[in-house]
Amino acid sequence: MNRRRLMTLAAGLPLMTDAFAQTTRSLRRVRPGDPGWPSEEEWRKLDATVGGRLAKVASPLQACRQAPDGAACTALFRDLKNPWAVGDNVALTQTTGWADAWASAPSSHAVAAQGAADVAAAVDFARRHRLRLAVKGGGHSYQGTSCAADSLLVWTRAINRVELHEGFVPQGSGGAPQPAISLGAGCVWLHAYAAAAKAGRYVQGGGCMTVGVAGLIQSGGFGSFSKRFGLAAAGLLEAEVVTADGGIRIANAHSHPDLFWALKGGGGGSFGVVTRLTLRTHALPELFGAVFATIRARSHTAYRALVERFVAFYRERLFSPTWGEQVQFRPDNALVVGMVFQGIDAAAATATWQPMFDWVAARPADFTMAAPPTVVAVPARHFWDADWLKANGAEFILEDNRPGAAEGNVFWRNNLDEAGWFLHAYESAWMPSALTETSGQPRLVEALFAGSRHWPVSLHFNKGLAGAPAEAISAARDTATNPAAADAFALAIAAAAGPPAFAGIPGHGPDLATAHRNRSRVAAAMAELRRLTPRHGSYVSESDYFEKDWRDAFWGDNYDRLRKVKDRYDPDGLFFVHHGVGSEDWSPDGFTRLN
């Protein structure tokens, strides 16, 4: 190389080094203390832009570190069993963590947004300063997607307006008006259901009252009555969403249709921040109801016969839009029934189940009713009416017990275990409807029996759309949700969890030895069911944190299309969640771009 060429290269070296350093920086988000972290003056400017709604977040665990036996720490762990209290705390999430996976940790700063303009300001700030961005509405994510340490949090809880429409027409469509409901992203399903029911309407959402509406819709969304009304995301008519460029967009079938499709089941936190959703409503049935029972077999042989009888009974009497929710198969040879119905009365529900209960009663040497059958039916207009539930169904609900809490803050008693829980394992798999046919039933029975030897296994019938009306199935196929859901008669779930737990907090640390044992048992149970279908699929909101083939499991053949939408609206990957669309480009913590 001649001297002139060498000198030319040497002169350009600083520029090349600077360019390389800039490229390296552009692939890494900043943390507090890093060069590039916003100055106090820049944070103040953001605060002014959002009307004083920016806060620096302090961890409530600090009180426990200072005084583990103190009143403040005791109050914190009491509140962690109250989903309303958790939802009202910017630093907490409904799941406290997952063994060997993630731990709930507060953001550095949070914008308590009151509208799309606040969200847009936060998104723009995060993009310009290369910050890790997190979004929280209801905060119910099992996989920790609604929190991230060292991040800027967009907190949508205050965006909770509910508006009913007698005749809604999506912008730009010119179509026929239809009944609908518009919900702010921070709204929870109790308030959505209650408002719709008061108007004689029903909106399909989630089963848990305190789940946020936006996260559920973006994950697909199943509720107790999905077997009749379909996938929650399929009811989406229009969404207001802030995209990575800070723009506020209206997405529907006519405006940004690709983004609209992706928001219907493509996973929350990957494509933008949804600030408002408008959902189709349906005529409210006259009655909703439930059937509860626990049947225990006196031997393994008898239990196998019980499983066999129930599987056949389900196909004969329950495989229809009328019935939803679940039955659990347990290692103690118990079959636990907790199913719901709609559109029929208690007498009709009792008549439906009578052949099953008669079969059990005729075999006292083999079976006992550990919990006698209970059949209840209530006026659908009161199903989410807090005052009515307190007076007429207090055994089914719990109340927000904080001083000064809103009187309408109630939640289903059977969701108490999920409040603040620390997950050990959670696995799910779609069960193809062919398994309910006569030729498939022996394989299903054997898998349920074998799986239940390891750990309780539940079939959530409302989370599989086979048996639903044809229009509900067709609408589900027009979403980003794994197509396996439309062909499944149920979602099989096995899970294990412990009480609220945080590492390093005396008396409240996670029991990892127990977690590891439980994880092995859950895995063994689900392995029996997954043998039934090689490409089982899994529901993104209720799935294994460690799912290896997550793209196919969550979205199947829809993933490539979702990735194209991601690349169009968020080419730089501002929006990151664990196992979200495009997350394969980033390190597990979402701070370093890999390609």
Side-chain angles (χ1 to χ4, degrees):
M1 181 180 293
N2 61 42
R3 186 170 181 272
R4 178 176 294 180
R5 176 62 175 160
L6 182 62
M7 292 179 65
T8 301
L9 287 173
L13 188 59
L15 296 177
M16 294 168 63
T17 302
D18 287 346
F20 177 77
Q22 179 62 38
T23 300
T24 302
R25 286 197 298 271
S26 71
L27 297 178
R28 188 183 300 275
R29 308 193 207 272
V30 299
R31 297 181 186 268
D34 288 347
W37 182 258
S39 67
E40 290 302 316
E41 176 59 25
E42 288 168 324
W43 285 115
R44 281 194 291 270
K45 289 180 180 178
L46 175 60
D47 187 40
T49 302
V50 297
R53 290 182 282 275
L54 174 71
K56 194 166 185 178
V57 183
S59 172
L61 292 173
Q62 192 59 37
C64 294
R65 295 188 179 99
Q66 295 171 349
D69 298 324
C73 187
T74 299
L76 170 63
F77 278 86
R78 182 179 63 244
D79 281 350
L80 282 166
K81 297 306 297 179
N82 178 347
W84 290 99
V86 174
D88 286 342
N89 192 319
V90 66
L92 296 178
T93 51
Q94 299 285 347
T95 297
T96 53
W98 188 313
D100 305 320
W102 67 275
S104 183
S107 296
S108 171
H109 292 72
V111 172
Q114 291 191 351
D118 291 343
V119 174
V123 167
D124 187 61
F125 188 85
R127 185 188 68 255
R128 287 188 290 108
H129 292 279
R130 293 187 292 116
L131 303 181
R132 173 81 156 84
L133 191 68
V135 184
K136 183 172 75 169
H140 275 256
S141 170
Y142 295 171
Q143 299 203 359
T145 60
S146 49
C147 67
D150 299 333
S151 69
L152 172 60
L153 177 69
V154 176
W155 195 28
T156 64
R157 193 165 180 84
I159 308 176
N160 56 14
R161 183 183 176 192
V162 178
E163 181 183 4
L164 286 158
H165 309 276
E166 290 187 8
F168 178 81
V169 178
Q171 289 188 24
S173 75
Q178 56 185 306
I181 187 169
S182 290
L183 305 166
C187 185
V188 297
W189 284 107
L190 171 62
H191 298 150
Y193 284 134
K198 188 176 290 186
R201 305 295 296 175
Y202 174 77
V203 57
Q204 182 57 63
C208 179
M209 292 187 185
T210 59
V211 166
V213 300
L216 183 121
I217 293 297
Q218 291 174 85
S219 296
F222 295 90
S224 297
F225 304 105
S226 284
K227 204 70 145 186
R228 165 61 181 87
F229 298 101
L231 192 68
L236 184 65
L237 299 175
E238 185 171 277
E240 179 184 75
V241 56
V242 177
T243 48
D245 59 359
I248 302 172
R249 290 177 161 80
I250 298 298
N252 57 42
H254 309 274
S255 174
H256 303 289
D258 53 346
L259 178 60
F260 177 66
W261 174 81
L263 294 176
K264 297 191 297 180
S270 292
F271 303 96
V273 184
V274 172
T275 52
R276 187 182 68 247
L277 309 100
T278 300
L279 302 169
R280 180 182 297 108
T281 63
H282 310 266
L284 186 70
E286 182 180 351
L287 297 169
F288 287 142
V291 175
F292 304 100
T294 299
I295 307 167
R296 181 166 284 114
R298 301 183 189 276
S299 68
H300 295 324
T301 300
Y303 190 63
R304 188 191 297 270
L306 178 62
V307 175
E308 182 178 20
R309 180 67 201 115
F310 175 78
V311 166
F313 174 75
Y314 176 79
R315 178 70 189 207
E316 296 162 5
R317 307 298 293 267
L318 305 176
F319 190 23
S320 75
T322 302
W323 294 93
E325 281 302 337
Q326 59 187 285
V327 166
Q328 186 180 69
F329 305 84
R330 299 197 324 205
D332 62 354
N333 291 335
L335 186 149
V336 182
V337 177
M339 294 192 69
V340 298
F341 57 87
Q342 59 81 32
I344 60 175
D345 59 19
T350 300
T352 299
W353 276 87
Q354 203 60 54
M356 182 71 193
F357 296 144
D358 288 346
W359 183 89
V360 171
R363 294 161 175 80
D366 289 329
F367 308 108
T368 181
M369 279 290 187
T374 299
V375 180
V376 295
V378 302
R381 67 184 183 277
H382 293 314
F383 202 73
W384 295 281
D385 181 335
D387 291 337
W388 190 92
L389 289 169
K390 290 177 188 179
N392 300 278
E395 67 272 29
F396 298 113
I397 62 168
L398 292 171
E399 299 182 48
D400 182 353
N401 55 13
R402 294 173 296 167
E407 292 187 2
N409 285 4
V410 299
F411 60 100
W412 297 123
R413 185 179 294 270
N414 62 8
N415 289 131
L416 177 63
D417 288 346
E418 300 159 23
W421 64 357
F422 180 84
L423 283 165
H424 301 166
Y426 204 113
E427 298 192 26
S428 68
W430 301 112
M431 294 287 100
S433 60
L435 292 171
T436 68
E437 297 172 2
T438 303
S439 60
Q441 288 181 17
R443 296 173 58 229
L444 177 60
V445 169
E446 182 56 33
L448 289 170
F449 178 79
S452 68
R453 302 306 84 192
H454 300 284
W455 196 258
V457 176
S458 297
L459 291 180
H460 292 239
F461 303 108
N462 52 297
K463 294 173 184 175
L465 296 179
E471 60 271 20
I473 295 175
S474 176
R477 294 191 188 281
D478 190 31
T479 73
T481 299
N482 192 326
D487 296 322
F489 78 94
L491 182 71
I493 295 178
F502 294 92
I505 304 300
H508 297 287
D511 182 350
L512 294 181
T514 298
H516 295 157
R517 287 195 299 272
N518 290 347
R519 181 187 300 167
S520 295
R521 293 167 182 165
V522 167
M526 287 302 295
E528 299 292 346
L529 290 162
R530 286 179 168 165
R531 289 192 183 100
L532 298 175
T533 171
R535 194 182 180 192
H536 58 270
S538 185
Y539 178 34
V540 61
S541 287
E542 297 179 285
S543 58
D544 186 4
Y545 184 92
F546 304 100
E547 177 70 58
K548 292 181 180 179
D549 194 13
W550 55 270
R551 284 170 281 193
D552 189 63
F554 297 163
W555 294 290
D557 294 337
N558 288 331
Y559 188 80
D560 289 345
R561 182 179 172 188
L562 284 168
R563 184 60 205 249
K564 290 177 182 177
V565 178
K566 174 73 170 178
D567 290 344
R568 177 179 181 185
Y569 289 93
D570 185 19
D572 296 324
L574 175 65
F575 299 113
F576 169 91
V577 295
H578 174 71
H579 286 178
V581 175
S583 63
E584 63 267 36
D585 293 348
W586 293 85
S587 59
D589 62 6
F591 274 85
T592 304
R593 187 147 191 163
L594 305 177
N595 54 53

